[in-house]
Amino acid sequence: MTGVAVIDSSGSVQRTSPTNWLAMIPPKIFWSGLFLGLVALMALLGPWVGPDPNMIDPDIPTIAPGAAEHWFGTDDLGRDLFSRVAVGARISLLIGIATALVAVVIGTLYGIVSAQFEGRVDTVMMRVIDVIYSLPGLMIVILFSVFLGRGVLSLVLALALFSWPDTARIIRGQVLALKREEFVEAVHSLGGSSWRIAGRHFLPNLVGLIILTATITVPRAILTESTLSFIGLGVEPPLSSWGTLASEGWQLVRIAPHVMLAPALMIFTAMIALNLLGDGLRELLEPKKS
Amino acid sequence: MIQLVLKRLFTGIITLWVVMSATFFLLRFLPGGPFDAERKLPPEIQANIEATYHLDEPVWVQYGYFLGDIVQGDLGPSFKYRSRRVNAIVAESAGISILLGSLALLIGTVLGVLAGTWAGVSKRPWVDGVLSILGLSTLSLPSFIFGGLLVLVFALHLGILPAATLQTPAHYVLPVVSLSLVPFAYAFLLVRTSVKETKLQPFILIKKSYGLPDGQVTYLHILRNSFVPLLSILGPLAAAIITGSFAIEYIFAIPGMGKHFVTAVTNRDYTLVMGITVVYSMLLIGFNTVSDILYGLLDPRLRDVGENSV
């Protein structure tokens, strides 16, 4: 400690280590970010590092994990599980991130518009959200994804359709609070219109919250997608996500449980990391509550 | 008070109508009819079948038939299982799903409240730490993975509990425990936060300064204050249980509504999908309405929330 800590003239302790900025990141965000970075790296490079995920080798069915050639073992057709989980990560992460993007764009616009109008329009817009909240979510996602045709894009749209109300509510609350700030009054008295204020002054103030809501949406979308794929209503072959891999593994659970456990473990750890990341960001944005 | 109840009931009925109509039109505009997938039928028979189910008439007429039937409580014939009415299939499977769901809701919430209170009031930091890790893990664990793990450990590995179907009370243990994961996590996190906030309130300090025993303060005053927010998440919890039941009924091969819904979607059995959607929405809307009304009863400040809330 004494090596890096310096007491300046005012008596407060200052650390002068060159890695200062790293130490400023809250541990929750640091560790979850690091883990998610590794998962992303695995999704990007895994299929090239490991064996070909589609190579069928009947001589090596259901090898247990830990083998030198096959870290996660192999499935019933002798395909390498590490590579398959890495390929599955692509679809799972893609669906999670794309859903969050779509949901956050819709939710932010909806929230700002609702808060801008206040009064009757606002009441009606919030009622619509109440109605959406009172629906059995997964059921409607299933109906929509079947209606739109099975595929990654329609899954994303169906999931986003159910994810945006959270963002809308949070953004609306924040905009209502911002509208009562003094600087808004100042811009108003200088002749700025409300929509100009929304675009030029509210949006920059909302960036933190928008990132936070996006972070909360990603794990929910991944969870819902994996549940759907598990019961056979999600991603279809030849594409595979962690959910479809777990579903295939479930068929083999009596002979080779690791085929299910490998994708299951990935879903679980990624969910923990994403939830921690959201938690850390929330504490960073709302210092009073922590 | 009566005004509040009437208003909530009205909103509930409107919501139900919106859901039913949306589902109806979504399904009608789906490419391909329910009888297309099977082997090619002679055109006359095809026409006959379509006439029987009013499929040859304009969508608006079909919508009229559908609303008329629903008002009378008739969900129509199943498209797939020709000889059966949707009412019969739903009546048979709803009981199973509702029983499993309520057991899971009860067990999960009670355990969640207990753990949340413990974590909130405990003066030992490790108790809160360990329980919080547990809370985060349960929140991050999808029900289908939890269910799969339970089967793997208790049915396949240890062999002490049955792995699938519902025959004896022992068969209920694993599905109910799997389903109770989500209510446990929600109740735990909510009660923990609200107990932590409540225990610092002035009125609690006054109770303590009266010399009331710790247990009485905790269970009578702190916990009672935490029940109001708990009531507000009962609706979302019921929705989460329905969501969970799709995967859990699949894993445990339970012939409940969730399993029928998934099969019906794959079979394009429009009327059965509609029927289950209607029943689930009714359950959920009813649940939300009741918890809204109870909420108003418990906390008079919240009775008029909605119109003038900021």
Side-chain angles (χ1 to χ4, degrees), chain A residues 127 131 134-136 138-139 143 146-147 223 226-227 230-231 250-251 253-254 257 261 264 267-268 271-272 275, chain B residues 15 19 23 26 29-30 137 140-142 144-145 148-149 152 156 243 250-251 261 265 273 276-277 280 284 288:
Chain A
R127 274 275 179 273
V131 169
S134 66
L135 301 179
L138 188 68
M139 203 157 184
L143 287 177
V146 172
F147 175 68
L223 181 81
S226 63
T227 308
F230 186 77
I231 57 180
W250 177 245
Q251 311 300 330
V253 73
R254 281 164 201 274
L261 289 178
I267 299 175
F268 180 47
M271 292 289 295
I272 287 193
N275 282 331
Chain B
T15 313
V19 177
T23 321
L26 268 183
F29 291 124
L30 268 183
S137 315
S140 307
L141 189 62
F144 72 88
I145 292 182
L149 288 179
L152 195 60
L156 300 181
T243 298
Y250 174 85
I251 286 187
F261 182 78
V265 166
V273 172
I276 296 174
T277 309
Y280 264 148
L284 209 49
N288 275 316

